[in-house]
Amino acid sequence: MRLSYGSARFLGLIKSGPILNMKTIYTLFGEKCTFDCAYCAQARTSRTSEGMLSRVVWPKFEMGDVVKAIERSSEVKRICLQIVSSKGVKDEAFYFLRSVRNLKIPISASVRILSEKEGFEWFEQGVERLGIATDVVDEKLYELYRGGELKKHVSLLKKMAEKFPSRITTHVIVGMGESEKQMVEFIQKMHDIGVTVGLFAFTPIKGTKLENHPKPSIHSYRRIQIARYLIEENLANVKDFKFSEVGEITDSGFDMKNIPDRAFMTSGCPDCTRPYYNEEPGKESYNFFDSIKRTSFVVGDRKV
Ligand code: SF4
């Protein structure tokens, strides 16, 4: 099995390098996905070097050593399993789940499931939350970059959220080509059916089909972070937002001075920090995982 570099360092399985705020330990199971998402390092046709997911390097470890290290640490608040759809992956991941179940640490699994039955299997194995990524929220772009039908996917999310209330997370990637309006509408739709949204910023990875696609502007990302925060906290509804002709958020109907810092922190399951998943050290972070060091950004004609 693999661990994110930051998680391995936090658990003391790697001895050098800075220790980051890792409330969640990130594990990776499987390799070379059967799916072929245009932006993913693990996609079937990706030419990215082994053991990468987004910007993060995931070194290999013996499962027994990982379990013991988690057991020794008193600071782990969540364990996240990133599942690459590939042969034998469930057997290995389920074995790991059985090994950590008695530690009583909440577990999230991020899996591309295609049916409710598949989703149930993960809950039966003791996961607390299931992450079912959407990534792309425009129907045509979904088909193009991810494959499959967005409508079917949303209907599956809805069914899962009905069966497992407050236990489903989805991920969306900002910067794939949708307008901000489309993103906000999707976030509202998910909120209405009880699905938590984790925001990611598109990160071009060398060797993937979208290696030359640009990253989103920090201004656009911040506006979507605010929208997600307001909707999630029931402080605003998509109907309260105003958009420009090209679908850019110009007003949220909320006093921007009252937006707290946590709107800009990593979002998704509780205690998820994902340090440097989308960020480059030295550049302004899209998602902050400890303290906020942001510059101002623009909403409509105002600087925030
Ligand atoms: S939001 Fe974080 S903890 Fe939850 S599934 Fe996604 S990466 Fe894992």
Side-chain angles (χ1 to χ4, degrees), residues 36-39 136 141-147 176 210 213:
D36 201 22
C37 299
Y39 44 87
V136 189
L141 293 177
Y142 185 95
E143 212 180 307
L144 180 69
Y145 291 151
R146 197 165 158 77
M176 302 293 292
L210 289 180
H213 189 88

Side-chain angles (χ1 to χ4, degrees), residues 71-85:
E71 214 169 338
R72 273 196 306 271
S73 167
S74 54
E75 291 169 73
V76 178
K77 302 270 188 297
R78 179 169 295 275
I79 301 168
C80 175
L81 281 73
Q82 299 282 325
I83 305 295
V84 177
S85 303

Side-chain angles (χ1 to χ4, degrees), residues 49-80:
S49 43
E50 209 192 298
M52 290 283 291
L53 192 61
S54 193
R55 286 191 65 257
V56 175
V57 178
W58 301 72
K60 266 188 181 160
F61 295 93
E62 288 300 325
M63 193 185 290
D65 295 340
V66 174
V67 175
K68 274 189 218 138
I70 296 175
E71 214 169 338
R72 273 196 306 271
S73 167
S74 54
E75 291 169 73
V76 178
K77 302 270 188 297
R78 179 169 295 275
I79 301 168
C80 175

Side-chain angles (χ1 to χ4, degrees), residues 3-6 20 26 28 39-42 46 48-59 82 173 200-208 211 213 215-216 273-287 289:
L3 284 180
S4 75
Y5 195 89
L20 304 172
Y26 298 91
L28 177 67
Y39 44 87
C40 182
Q42 289 294 333
S46 151
T48 307
S49 43
E50 209 192 298
M52 290 283 291
L53 192 61
S54 193
R55 286 191 65 257
V56 175
V57 178
W58 301 72
Q82 299 282 325
I173 304 177
F200 286 72
F202 172 76
T203 305
I205 308 290
K206 211 168 174 343
T208 62
E211 64 182 4
H213 189 88
K215 293 179 192 181
T273 51
R274 294 193 303 267
Y276 299 117
Y277 205 80
N278 297 144
E279 355 288 334
E280 285 174 58
K283 295 223 171 119
E284 181 166 339
S285 295
Y286 288 102
N287 299 310
F289 60 91

Side-chain angles (χ1 to χ4, degrees), residues 24-26 78-82 107-111 129-132 169-171 196-200 266-274 277:
T24 295
I25 293 299
Y26 298 91
R78 179 169 295 275
I79 301 168
C80 175
L81 281 73
Q82 299 282 325
I107 299 170
S108 296
S110 176
V111 195
R129 300 186 64 95
L130 197 59
I132 309 169
T169 303
T170 194
H171 300 152
T196 309
V197 176
L199 288 184
F200 286 72
T266 304
S267 51
C269 302
D271 296 312
C272 179
T273 51
R274 294 193 303 267
Y277 205 80

